[in-house]
Amino acid sequence: QVRLVESGGGLVQAGGSLRLSCAASGSIFRVNDAAWYRQAPGGQREQRELVASIARSGTTNFLADAVKGRFAISRDNTKNLVYLEMNNLNPEDTATYYCYANILTLSGPNYGINYWGKGTLVTVSA
């Protein structure tokens, strides 16, 4: 069993900062690519927006135009953690932020499986 658990969301004023964490736990052999998505209030799952993605090497593969210069994604492979540092937040960043990871498990197939966390809500007030 593998779980992804996000933390660090909350209410912040415009211009403020938050750091989201995603902890992967369970029968993990290796966490491959990982990413943060967000879903605006009232939005559907299909409307989730890719915010940032990161390779196992630590290379940022993608950063959405809307967050470039303000957000950064990073990871700690020794602890199976992925972070999203968010600075200069604005009300348009209000959303539930979801962690995604492709994970090779100890007892599963010899290819990575996609996992999602349950999300953490970020609310930015004007």
Side-chain angles (χ1 to χ4, degrees):
Q1 186 82 7
V2 171
R3 293 179 65 205
L4 294 181
V5 179
E6 302 95 335
S7 61
L11 175 64
V12 63
Q13 288 187 329
S17 300
L18 285 174
R19 188 193 198 200
L20 304 184
S21 298
C22 172
S25 63
S27 182
I28 296 171
F29 178 75
R30 185 179 68 235
V31 179
N32 298 320
D33 289 358
W36 287 95
Y37 285 74
R38 66 185 180 185
Q39 184 172 330
Q44 302 300 313
R45 182 187 176 104
E46 298 75 22
Q47 295 170 311
R48 283 184 189 178
E49 172 191 13
L50 175 61
V51 176
S53 67
I54 187 168
R56 177 168 175 80
S57 65
T59 299
T60 297
N61 286 334
F62 177 84
L63 203 57
D65 287 343
V67 305
K68 282 181 180 176
R70 300 187 298 122
F71 291 13
I73 188 170
S74 61
R75 64 191 293 165
D76 183 342
N77 290 335
T78 65
K79 299 179 180 178
N80 290 333
L81 289 168
V82 180
Y83 303 102
L84 185 68
E85 188 75 36
M86 306 187 296
N87 298 307
N88 194 20
L89 286 158
N90 59 60
E92 289 70 37
D93 296 317
T94 295
T96 298
Y97 285 72
Y98 295 89
C99 179
Y100 154 90
N102 181 270
I103 296 175
L104 187 63
T105 62
L106 288 170
S107 57
N110 60 354
Y111 53 84
I113 299 173
N114 297 331
Y115 291 90
W116 290 88
K118 295 187 177 181
T120 184
L121 178 62
V122 171
T123 304
V124 185
S125 63

